Amino acid sequence: MPEETFKAILVSRDEDKKQSVTITELTEADLMDGDVTVAIDATTVNYKDGLAITGRAPVVRRFPLIPGVDFAGTVTASSHPEWKPGDHVVLNGWGVGETHHGAYAGKARVKGGWLVPLPQDLSARDAMAVGTAGYTAMLAVMALERHGITPERGPVVVTGAAGGVGSVAVSLLSKLGYHVIASTGRHAEHDYLRGLGAHEIIARDELSGPAKPLAKERWAGGIDAVGSHTLANVLSMTSYGGAVAACGLAQGMDLPASVAPFILRGVSLLGIDSVMAPKELRLEAWRRIGSDLDHAKLTALSTTMPFEGIINAAHDIVEGKVRGRLVVEM
Ligand code: NDP
């Protein structure tokens, strides 16, 4: 009997290292080694997937490769002690979609240690409406909390607010009682951001130019998805003893800042990495997403799209045109 095929996106490179992307049919025999096989129920398009598919940054480091850094799915085969067929699982990161075949396929074969259980109150679609962007936003909120940035300490700013990380961060922070200041470059998304719980909205260009070493104190903390001058400005405007969680580079990977906020105001810069985050932190983040993210807001911030739209969406997201989160149901 011929092996069952499933659709997949494949990123390839020719001899001149020119990258191409195709939709093709594969079989389980084409997947990489791993002890758990998963039928993908839903996936999503994150900024990093956009970089991978467009080739704008060297996210894909092995060719040909199925991109896609996260999925929610159902285990179909397992030799890993933790998982059995029928289990519902979520995967974020661990090099999936970078060096290991990823989520943009009917099936994936991965290491059991990379998986976490799908939280009880979430569907596969919900989990991907959150996706790596939303789970990163949760990691950032948890980092601020660990640093003692409670709602009583003052407002918290979110940059790149209408994007994926930003939309989930705004929703989470407002549900937790913070006064949220959302920074966006998109005037048309002000009502959307207020709907997610933003109390104040500021224009992206207030923060995107070169930063002074110190500026007027405006917030107790921040979640920054943008990097570069924006992060430098956020730091320079953070009040005494505050903290900023840095997780993104939509403006740039540089950080043209001074040490003044650190040495004169005791401000802390908290680094957020979702890809290699240890399992305990992941489990805690997904548990908190289940309890602290408003379901109605999750619906408001996510759009469902077909598998065939992934390649176009990848281009849109790196151009800053995607609002909130995109979900692909298989
Ligand atoms: P999105 O594209 O959905 O969001 C990014 C947002 O940044 C845009 O919507 C836009 O928001 C803003 N933006 C875009 N370009 C610029 C620019 N040139 N200057 C200033 N602001 C800009 O991406 P995601 O939310 O998926 O990811 C956000 C960032 O977080 C990315 O850099 C991504 O790589 C990173 N990330 C990091 C992770 C980690 O583990 N550390 C995990 C997940 C994501 P607006 O229109 O509102 O201004």
Side-chain angles (χ1 to χ4, degrees):
M1 206 166 84
E3 246 202 293
E4 197 189 322
T5 64
F6 50 81
K7 59 189 170 184
I9 293 179
L10 211 53
V11 177
S12 309
R13 247 188 188 183
D14 64 18
E15 287 136 22
D16 300 326
K17 298 199 170 172
K18 191 168 175 302
Q19 186 171 306
S20 60
V21 187
T22 48
I23 298 185
T24 184
E25 290 284 325
L26 299 178
T27 69
E28 281 193 25
D30 297 311
L31 296 176
M32 291 177 181
D33 288 347
D35 45 15
V36 182
T37 306
V38 180
I40 310 290
D41 296 322
T43 180
T44 172
V45 181
N46 297 281
Y47 190 86
K48 194 181 218 173
D49 301 312
L51 294 175
I53 287 180
T54 59
R56 283 213 199 171
V59 170
V60 176
R61 297 192 300 282
R62 177 175 174 163
F63 298 87
L65 192 93
I66 302 170
V69 302
D70 50 3
F71 62 72
T74 308
V75 173
T76 58
S78 170
S79 58
H80 188 279
E82 213 175 320
W83 308 109
K84 58 178 188 326
D87 286 346
H88 297 294
V89 292
V90 177
L91 181 139
N92 302 99
W94 295 117
V96 169
E98 300 184 56
T99 53
H100 191 96
H101 277 329
Y104 297 157
K107 287 194 173 173
R109 192 181 298 119
V110 297
K111 290 188 181 168
W114 295 345
L115 299 166
V116 297
L118 178 71
Q120 236 173 17
D121 298 334
L122 298 184
S123 66
R125 188 205 179 276
D126 292 338
M128 286 300 105
V130 175
T132 295
Y135 141 72
T136 301
M138 189 74 243
L139 290 175
V141 170
M142 286 159 52
L144 291 179
E145 289 174 342
R146 278 198 303 279
H147 200 79
I149 307 300
T150 54
E152 296 70 40
R153 291 279 298 271
V156 171
V157 68
V158 175
T159 62
V165 172
S167 294
V168 179
V170 168
S171 307
L172 284 168
L173 290 166
S174 84
K175 171 95 188 286
L176 291 167
Y178 290 86
H179 181 94
V180 182
I181 303 176
S183 160
T184 184
R186 288 183 268 180
H187 202 264
E189 304 303 353
H190 286 197
D191 285 347
Y192 161 75
L193 288 167
R194 287 190 204 284
L196 296 183
H199 299 85
E200 287 177 56
I201 297 178
I202 62 172
R204 179 199 288 182
D205 54 19
E206 275 190 43
L207 303 176
S208 59
K212 292 182 189 162
L214 285 180
K216 183 169 174 276
E217 293 168 271
R218 294 174 79 175
W219 35 71
I223 295 182
D224 176 63
V226 172
S228 193
H229 294 296
T230 301
L231 176 55
N233 275 299
V234 168
L235 287 165
S236 77
M237 296 172 190
T238 300
S239 56
Y240 197 92
V244 178
C247 64
L249 44 61
Q251 185 179 17
M253 216 179 193
D254 57 335
L255 179 52
S258 91
V259 297
F262 310 125
I263 64 174
L264 298 176
R265 286 190 184 151
V267 167
S268 296
L269 180 56
L270 313 174
I272 305 299
D273 168 60
S274 66
V275 179
M276 305 305 283
K279 190 154 183 177
E280 309 73 62
L281 206 55
R282 289 167 188 262
L283 290 170
E284 173 66 2
W286 278 105
R287 191 190 64 69
R288 290 281 308 270
I289 286 163
S291 62
D292 296 346
L293 188 56
D294 196 320
H295 252 78
K297 287 184 183 166
L298 194 55
T299 306
L301 64 80
S302 58
T303 311
T304 304
M305 53 167 277
F307 184 87
E308 287 68 24
I310 291 176
I311 297 174
N312 282 341
H315 287 268
D316 287 345
I317 200 164
V318 292
E319 282 161 26
K321 290 185 188 162
V322 170
R323 179 177 98 174
R325 304 273 308 125
L326 298 172
V327 184
V328 182
E329 283 183 285
M330 303 293 283

